[in-house]
mmCIF file of all heavy atoms in Angstrom:
data_model
loop_
_atom_site.group_PDB
_atom_site.id
_atom_site.type_symbol
_atom_site.label_atom_id
_atom_site.label_comp_id
_atom_site.label_asym_id
_atom_site.label_seq_id
_atom_site.Cartn_x
_atom_site.Cartn_y
_atom_site.Cartn_z
ATOM 1 N N LEU A 963 0.814 -1.193 -0.002
ATOM 2 C CA LEU A 963 -0.020 -0.007 -0.005
ATOM 3 C C LEU A 963 0.886 1.263 -0.010
ATOM 4 O O LEU A 963 0.583 2.231 -0.707
ATOM 5 C CB LEU A 963 -0.972 -0.033 1.261
ATOM 6 C CG LEU A 963 -2.085 1.017 1.186
ATOM 7 C CD1 LEU A 963 -2.957 0.796 -0.046
ATOM 8 C CD2 LEU A 963 -2.914 0.821 2.488
ATOM 9 N N SER A 964 1.964 1.219 0.772
ATOM 10 C CA SER A 964 2.849 2.419 0.791
ATOM 11 C C SER A 964 3.542 2.597 -0.606
ATOM 12 O O SER A 964 3.746 3.721 -1.048
ATOM 13 C CB SER A 964 3.892 2.312 1.865
ATOM 14 O OG SER A 964 4.843 1.345 1.574
ATOM 15 N N LEU A 965 3.862 1.478 -1.295
ATOM 16 C CA LEU A 965 4.423 1.570 -2.625
ATOM 17 C C LEU A 965 3.421 2.147 -3.590
ATOM 18 O O LEU A 965 3.721 3.009 -4.451
ATOM 19 C CB LEU A 965 4.879 0.192 -3.144
ATOM 20 C CG LEU A 965 6.068 -0.353 -2.417
ATOM 21 C CD1 LEU A 965 6.341 -1.798 -2.930
ATOM 22 C CD2 LEU A 965 7.319 0.476 -2.614
ATOM 23 N N ILE A 966 2.166 1.777 -3.469
ATOM 24 C CA ILE A 966 1.105 2.287 -4.365
ATOM 25 C C ILE A 966 0.926 3.753 -4.084
ATOM 26 O O ILE A 966 0.788 4.599 -5.003
ATOM 27 C CB ILE A 966 -0.225 1.528 -4.151
ATOM 28 C CG1 ILE A 966 -0.056 0.040 -4.693
ATOM 29 C CG2 ILE A 966 -1.379 2.258 -4.787
ATOM 30 C CD1 ILE A 966 -1.174 -0.829 -4.276
ATOM 31 N N GLU A 967 0.936 4.160 -2.807
ATOM 32 C CA GLU A 967 0.809 5.572 -2.424
ATOM 33 C C GLU A 967 1.922 6.363 -2.998
ATOM 34 O O GLU A 967 1.778 7.503 -3.450
ATOM 35 C CB GLU A 967 0.675 5.732 -0.925
ATOM 36 C CG GLU A 967 -0.656 5.317 -0.378
ATOM 37 C CD GLU A 967 -1.805 6.142 -0.882
ATOM 38 O OE1 GLU A 967 -1.694 7.342 -1.193
ATOM 39 O OE2 GLU A 967 -2.875 5.531 -1.109
ATOM 40 N N GLY A 968 3.154 5.820 -2.938
ATOM 41 C CA GLY A 968 4.307 6.474 -3.520
ATOM 42 C C GLY A 968 4.146 6.688 -5.047
ATOM 43 O O GLY A 968 4.516 7.719 -5.570
ATOM 44 N N THR A 969 3.619 5.696 -5.661
ATOM 45 C CA THR A 969 3.377 5.779 -7.121
ATOM 46 C C THR A 969 2.321 6.882 -7.395
ATOM 47 O O THR A 969 2.481 7.663 -8.342
ATOM 48 C CB THR A 969 2.889 4.441 -7.718
ATOM 49 O OG1 THR A 969 3.801 3.446 -7.383
ATOM 50 C CG2 THR A 969 2.686 4.476 -9.173
ATOM 51 N N LEU A 970 1.263 6.904 -6.602
ATOM 52 C CA LEU A 970 0.282 8.009 -6.722
ATOM 53 C C LEU A 970 0.930 9.396 -6.452
ATOM 54 O O LEU A 970 0.548 10.356 -7.124
ATOM 55 C CB LEU A 970 -0.873 7.764 -5.866
ATOM 56 C CG LEU A 970 -1.906 6.676 -6.255
ATOM 57 C CD1 LEU A 970 -2.892 6.376 -5.173
ATOM 58 C CD2 LEU A 970 -2.611 7.137 -7.541
ATOM 59 N N ASP A 971 1.866 9.441 -5.494
ATOM 60 C CA ASP A 971 2.514 10.660 -5.227
ATOM 61 C C ASP A 971 3.299 11.199 -6.456
ATOM 62 O O ASP A 971 3.270 12.396 -6.751
ATOM 63 C CB ASP A 971 3.474 10.523 -4.064
ATOM 64 C CG ASP A 971 2.798 10.597 -2.745
ATOM 65 O OD1 ASP A 971 1.592 10.891 -2.689
ATOM 66 O OD2 ASP A 971 3.460 10.289 -1.724
ATOM 67 N N ILE A 972 3.929 10.280 -7.189
ATOM 68 C CA ILE A 972 4.618 10.692 -8.362
ATOM 69 C C ILE A 972 3.638 11.327 -9.405
ATOM 70 O O ILE A 972 3.952 12.376 -9.979
ATOM 71 C CB ILE A 972 5.341 9.469 -9.046
ATOM 72 C CG1 ILE A 972 6.467 9.040 -8.140
ATOM 73 C CG2 ILE A 972 5.877 9.806 -10.462
ATOM 74 C CD1 ILE A 972 7.087 7.709 -8.560
ATOM 75 N N ALA A 973 2.494 10.706 -9.577
ATOM 76 C CA ALA A 973 1.490 11.272 -10.511
ATOM 77 C C ALA A 973 0.981 12.595 -9.972
ATOM 78 O O ALA A 973 0.798 13.515 -10.740
ATOM 79 C CB ALA A 973 0.318 10.288 -10.626
ATOM 80 N N ARG A 974 0.832 12.745 -8.636
ATOM 81 C CA ARG A 974 0.363 14.028 -8.077
ATOM 82 C C ARG A 974 1.433 15.082 -8.228
ATOM 83 O O ARG A 974 1.086 16.252 -8.506
ATOM 84 C CB ARG A 974 0.061 13.815 -6.584
ATOM 85 C CG ARG A 974 -1.176 13.033 -6.316
ATOM 86 C CD ARG A 974 -1.406 12.870 -4.761
ATOM 87 N NE ARG A 974 -2.483 11.930 -4.535
ATOM 88 C CZ ARG A 974 -2.318 10.822 -3.862
ATOM 89 N NH1 ARG A 974 -1.160 10.560 -3.269
ATOM 90 N NH2 ARG A 974 -3.309 9.961 -3.650
ATOM 91 N N ILE A 975 2.690 14.736 -8.070
ATOM 92 C CA ILE A 975 3.790 15.693 -8.239
ATOM 93 C C ILE A 975 3.800 16.200 -9.710
ATOM 94 O O ILE A 975 3.867 17.427 -9.960
ATOM 95 C CB ILE A 975 5.148 15.105 -7.830
ATOM 96 C CG1 ILE A 975 5.182 14.923 -6.294
ATOM 97 C CG2 ILE A 975 6.300 15.995 -8.339
ATOM 98 C CD1 ILE A 975 6.352 14.060 -5.917
ATOM 99 N N GLU A 976 3.686 15.248 -10.638
ATOM 100 C CA GLU A 976 3.725 15.623 -12.043
ATOM 101 C C GLU A 976 2.501 16.520 -12.395
ATOM 102 O O GLU A 976 2.608 17.353 -13.243
ATOM 103 C CB GLU A 976 3.747 14.352 -12.917
ATOM 104 C CG GLU A 976 5.049 13.658 -12.862
ATOM 105 C CD GLU A 976 5.097 12.364 -13.643
ATOM 106 O OE1 GLU A 976 4.001 11.846 -14.014
ATOM 107 O OE2 GLU A 976 6.205 11.862 -13.853
ATOM 108 N N ALA A 977 1.409 16.284 -11.705
ATOM 109 C CA ALA A 977 0.219 17.070 -12.008
ATOM 110 C C ALA A 977 0.184 18.382 -11.185
ATOM 111 O O ALA A 977 -0.721 19.188 -11.323
ATOM 112 C CB ALA A 977 -1.069 16.256 -11.741
ATOM 113 N N GLY A 978 1.198 18.551 -10.292
ATOM 114 C CA GLY A 978 1.188 19.746 -9.447
ATOM 115 C C GLY A 978 0.144 19.712 -8.396
ATOM 116 O O GLY A 978 -0.291 20.811 -7.973
ATOM 117 N N LYS A 979 -0.275 18.547 -7.963
ATOM 118 C CA LYS A 979 -1.388 18.420 -6.969
ATOM 119 C C LYS A 979 -0.994 17.690 -5.678
ATOM 120 O O LYS A 979 -1.853 17.198 -5.011
ATOM 121 C CB LYS A 979 -2.571 17.739 -7.637
ATOM 122 C CG LYS A 979 -3.168 18.462 -8.790
ATOM 123 C CD LYS A 979 -4.319 17.722 -9.393
ATOM 124 C CE LYS A 979 -4.907 18.508 -10.576
ATOM 125 N NZ LYS A 979 -6.009 17.813 -11.180
ATOM 126 N N LEU A 980 0.301 17.640 -5.399
ATOM 127 C CA LEU A 980 0.693 16.938 -4.169
ATOM 128 C C LEU A 980 0.440 17.819 -2.947
ATOM 129 O O LEU A 980 0.829 19.020 -2.967
ATOM 130 C CB LEU A 980 2.203 16.568 -4.212
ATOM 131 C CG LEU A 980 2.729 15.873 -2.994
ATOM 132 C CD1 LEU A 980 2.133 14.446 -2.908
ATOM 133 C CD2 LEU A 980 4.199 15.793 -3.028
ATOM 134 N N HIS A 981 -0.270 17.312 -1.963
ATOM 135 C CA HIS A 981 -0.512 18.018 -0.716
ATOM 136 C C HIS A 981 0.133 17.261 0.418
ATOM 137 O O HIS A 981 0.087 16.062 0.523
ATOM 138 C CB HIS A 981 -2.044 18.050 -0.441
ATOM 139 C CG HIS A 981 -2.806 18.772 -1.533
ATOM 140 N ND1 HIS A 981 -2.755 20.118 -1.646
ATOM 141 C CD2 HIS A 981 -3.605 18.308 -2.508
ATOM 142 C CE1 HIS A 981 -3.490 20.481 -2.725
ATOM 143 N NE2 HIS A 981 -4.002 19.434 -3.228
ATOM 144 N N LEU A 982 0.765 18.030 1.290
ATOM 145 C CA LEU A 982 1.422 17.440 2.456
ATOM 146 C C LEU A 982 0.461 17.515 3.620
ATOM 147 O O LEU A 982 -0.253 18.515 3.821
ATOM 148 C CB LEU A 982 2.698 18.253 2.814
ATOM 149 C CG LEU A 982 3.798 18.164 1.724
ATOM 150 C CD1 LEU A 982 4.939 19.044 2.167
ATOM 151 C CD2 LEU A 982 4.235 16.776 1.510
ATOM 152 N N ASN A 983 0.450 16.444 4.408
ATOM 153 C CA ASN A 983 -0.386 16.392 5.616
ATOM 154 C C ASN A 983 0.541 16.530 6.808
ATOM 155 O O ASN A 983 0.963 15.582 7.364
ATOM 156 C CB ASN A 983 -1.167 15.046 5.612
ATOM 157 C CG ASN A 983 -2.141 14.957 4.492
ATOM 158 O OD1 ASN A 983 -2.838 15.884 4.189
ATOM 159 N ND2 ASN A 983 -2.092 13.793 3.832
ATOM 160 N N ARG A 984 0.712 17.776 7.206
ATOM 161 C CA ARG A 984 1.601 18.065 8.322
ATOM 162 C C ARG A 984 0.883 17.799 9.649
ATOM 163 O O ARG A 984 -0.282 18.135 9.801
ATOM 164 C CB ARG A 984 2.114 19.437 8.287
ATOM 165 C CG ARG A 984 3.000 19.670 7.084
ATOM 166 C CD ARG A 984 3.606 21.077 7.127
ATOM 167 N NE ARG A 984 4.356 21.357 5.891
ATOM 168 C CZ ARG A 984 3.970 22.166 4.957
ATOM 169 N NH1 ARG A 984 2.846 22.819 5.100
ATOM 170 N NH2 ARG A 984 4.667 22.302 3.861
ATOM 171 N N GLY A 985 1.666 17.224 10.560
ATOM 172 C CA GLY A 985 1.130 16.968 11.871
ATOM 173 C C GLY A 985 2.242 16.763 12.830
ATOM 174 O O GLY A 985 3.426 16.769 12.434
ATOM 175 N N GLU A 986 1.943 16.560 14.114
ATOM 176 C CA GLU A 986 2.948 16.330 15.104
ATOM 177 C C GLU A 986 3.429 14.881 14.999
ATOM 178 O O GLU A 986 2.645 14.005 14.896
ATOM 179 C CB GLU A 986 2.398 16.631 16.507
ATOM 180 C CG GLU A 986 2.250 18.103 16.775
ATOM 181 C CD GLU A 986 1.902 18.334 18.267
ATOM 182 O OE1 GLU A 986 1.684 17.377 18.988
ATOM 183 O OE2 GLU A 986 1.818 19.519 18.617
ATOM 184 N N ILE A 987 4.748 14.745 15.055
ATOM 185 C CA ILE A 987 5.365 13.388 15.034
ATOM 186 C C ILE A 987 6.172 13.278 16.292
ATOM 187 O O ILE A 987 7.083 14.066 16.557
ATOM 188 C CB ILE A 987 6.215 13.244 13.758
ATOM 189 C CG1 ILE A 987 5.377 13.381 12.512
ATOM 190 C CG2 ILE A 987 6.930 11.896 13.788
ATOM 191 C CD1 ILE A 987 6.126 13.433 11.231
ATOM 192 N N HIS A 988 5.857 12.239 17.075
ATOM 193 C CA HIS A 988 6.661 11.935 18.272
ATOM 194 C C HIS A 988 7.840 11.064 17.792
ATOM 195 O O HIS A 988 7.643 9.924 17.372
ATOM 196 C CB HIS A 988 5.824 11.190 19.331
ATOM 197 C CG HIS A 988 4.728 12.058 19.775
ATOM 198 N ND1 HIS A 988 4.846 12.904 20.905
ATOM 199 C CD2 HIS A 988 3.430 12.304 19.302
ATOM 200 C CE1 HIS A 988 3.734 13.582 21.037
ATOM 201 N NE2 HIS A 988 2.847 13.197 20.142
ATOM 202 N N LEU A 989 9.011 11.591 17.813
ATOM 203 C CA LEU A 989 10.167 11.039 17.187
ATOM 204 C C LEU A 989 10.458 9.629 17.668
ATOM 205 O O LEU A 989 10.665 8.679 16.868
ATOM 206 C CB LEU A 989 11.382 11.922 17.355
ATOM 207 C CG LEU A 989 12.655 11.453 16.598
ATOM 208 C CD1 LEU A 989 12.394 11.342 15.144
ATOM 209 C CD2 LEU A 989 13.840 12.396 16.876
ATOM 210 N N THR A 990 10.519 9.368 18.954
ATOM 211 C CA THR A 990 10.847 8.072 19.484
ATOM 212 C C THR A 990 9.831 7.033 19.009
ATOM 213 O O THR A 990 10.176 5.955 18.547
ATOM 214 C CB THR A 990 10.918 8.097 21.010
ATOM 215 O OG1 THR A 990 11.861 9.088 21.424
ATOM 216 C CG2 THR A 990 11.356 6.731 21.605
ATOM 217 N N GLU A 991 8.560 7.395 19.129
ATOM 218 C CA GLU A 991 7.482 6.445 18.737
ATOM 219 C C GLU A 991 7.577 6.169 17.189
ATOM 220 O O GLU A 991 7.452 5.061 16.730
ATOM 221 C CB GLU A 991 6.166 7.078 19.069
ATOM 222 C CG GLU A 991 4.950 6.278 18.774
ATOM 223 C CD GLU A 991 3.652 6.966 19.187
ATOM 224 O OE1 GLU A 991 3.599 7.539 20.274
ATOM 225 O OE2 GLU A 991 2.729 7.011 18.294
ATOM 226 N N PHE A 992 7.810 7.237 16.436
ATOM 227 C CA PHE A 992 7.909 7.110 14.967
ATOM 228 C C PHE A 992 9.100 6.217 14.616
ATOM 229 O O PHE A 992 8.947 5.326 13.788
ATOM 230 C CB PHE A 992 8.125 8.543 14.375
ATOM 231 C CG PHE A 992 8.154 8.566 12.903
ATOM 232 C CD1 PHE A 992 6.969 8.418 12.155
ATOM 233 C CD2 PHE A 992 9.342 8.673 12.220
ATOM 234 C CE1 PHE A 992 6.997 8.468 10.791
ATOM 235 C CE2 PHE A 992 9.413 8.738 10.859
ATOM 236 C CZ PHE A 992 8.206 8.637 10.116
ATOM 237 N N LEU A 993 10.237 6.458 15.185
ATOM 238 C CA LEU A 993 11.418 5.592 14.951
ATOM 239 C C LEU A 993 11.157 4.177 15.285
ATOM 240 O O LEU A 993 11.582 3.282 14.617
ATOM 241 C CB LEU A 993 12.639 6.185 15.607
ATOM 242 C CG LEU A 993 13.197 7.459 15.105
ATOM 243 C CD1 LEU A 993 14.339 8.012 15.956
ATOM 244 C CD2 LEU A 993 13.629 7.349 13.669
ATOM 245 N N GLN A 994 10.466 3.948 16.411
ATOM 246 C CA GLN A 994 10.172 2.558 16.848
ATOM 247 C C GLN A 994 9.343 1.885 15.847
ATOM 248 O O GLN A 994 9.476 0.657 15.569
ATOM 249 C CB GLN A 994 9.552 2.554 18.256
ATOM 250 C CG GLN A 994 9.473 1.181 18.845
ATOM 251 C CD GLN A 994 10.826 0.489 18.922
ATOM 252 O OE1 GLN A 994 11.735 1.019 19.501
ATOM 253 N NE2 GLN A 994 10.934 -0.697 18.380
ATOM 254 N N GLN A 995 8.337 2.578 15.226
ATOM 255 C CA GLN A 995 7.478 1.984 14.212
ATOM 256 C C GLN A 995 8.337 1.566 13.032
ATOM 257 O O GLN A 995 8.148 0.480 12.459
ATOM 258 C CB GLN A 995 6.387 2.944 13.787
ATOM 259 C CG GLN A 995 5.299 3.169 14.872
ATOM 260 C CD GLN A 995 4.375 4.289 14.489
ATOM 261 O OE1 GLN A 995 4.519 4.895 13.457
ATOM 262 N NE2 GLN A 995 3.310 4.462 15.284
ATOM 263 N N MET A 996 9.261 2.448 12.653
ATOM 264 C CA MET A 996 10.161 2.119 11.519
ATOM 265 C C MET A 996 11.004 0.904 11.839
ATOM 266 O O MET A 996 11.197 0.028 11.016
ATOM 267 C CB MET A 996 11.019 3.285 11.143
ATOM 268 C CG MET A 996 10.317 4.545 10.673
ATOM 269 S SD MET A 996 9.340 4.299 9.174
ATOM 270 C CE MET A 996 10.605 3.958 7.994
ATOM 271 N N VAL A 997 11.547 0.841 13.040
ATOM 272 C CA VAL A 997 12.380 -0.278 13.503
ATOM 273 C C VAL A 997 11.550 -1.581 13.419
ATOM 274 O O VAL A 997 12.007 -2.579 12.955
ATOM 275 C CB VAL A 997 12.932 -0.066 14.909
ATOM 276 C CG1 VAL A 997 13.470 -1.345 15.516
ATOM 277 C CG2 VAL A 997 13.954 1.044 14.875
ATOM 278 N N ASN A 998 10.314 -1.528 13.909
ATOM 279 C CA ASN A 998 9.426 -2.721 13.874
ATOM 280 C C ASN A 998 9.253 -3.209 12.466
ATOM 281 O O ASN A 998 9.301 -4.418 12.216
ATOM 282 C CB ASN A 998 8.101 -2.417 14.524
ATOM 283 C CG ASN A 998 8.197 -2.154 16.034
ATOM 284 O OD1 ASN A 998 9.171 -2.504 16.672
ATOM 285 N ND2 ASN A 998 7.159 -1.574 16.588
ATOM 286 N N MET A 999 9.000 -2.273 11.511
ATOM 287 C CA MET A 999 8.774 -2.675 10.158
ATOM 288 C C MET A 999 10.041 -3.319 9.579
ATOM 289 O O MET A 999 9.960 -4.374 8.909
ATOM 290 C CB MET A 999 8.387 -1.441 9.307
ATOM 291 C CG MET A 999 8.067 -1.758 7.899
ATOM 292 S SD MET A 999 7.499 -0.340 6.915
ATOM 293 C CE MET A 999 9.052 0.583 6.785
#
């Protein structure tokens, strides 16, 4: 699903329609999720 979303992001970038969803990220928790994956 993340690969598909990345592919869609490429299409959005090319179309000039990429939107960022900014939010708060708790670094330790975020890194732990990456480690788990």
Side-chain angles (χ1 to χ4, degrees):
L963 194 57
S964 73
L965 291 174
I966 291 168
E967 286 298 324
T969 303
L970 283 170
D971 280 349
I972 292 169
R974 289 180 190 120
I975 289 168
E976 290 176 345
K979 296 180 180 179
L980 180 68
H981 299 287
L982 297 176
N983 297 313
R984 293 186 186 109
E986 287 189 353
I987 300 172
H988 297 270
L989 185 58
T990 304
E991 183 180 314
F992 182 78
L993 291 174
Q994 189 59 53
Q995 290 173 355
M996 296 299 294
V997 166
N998 292 344
M999 182 176 72

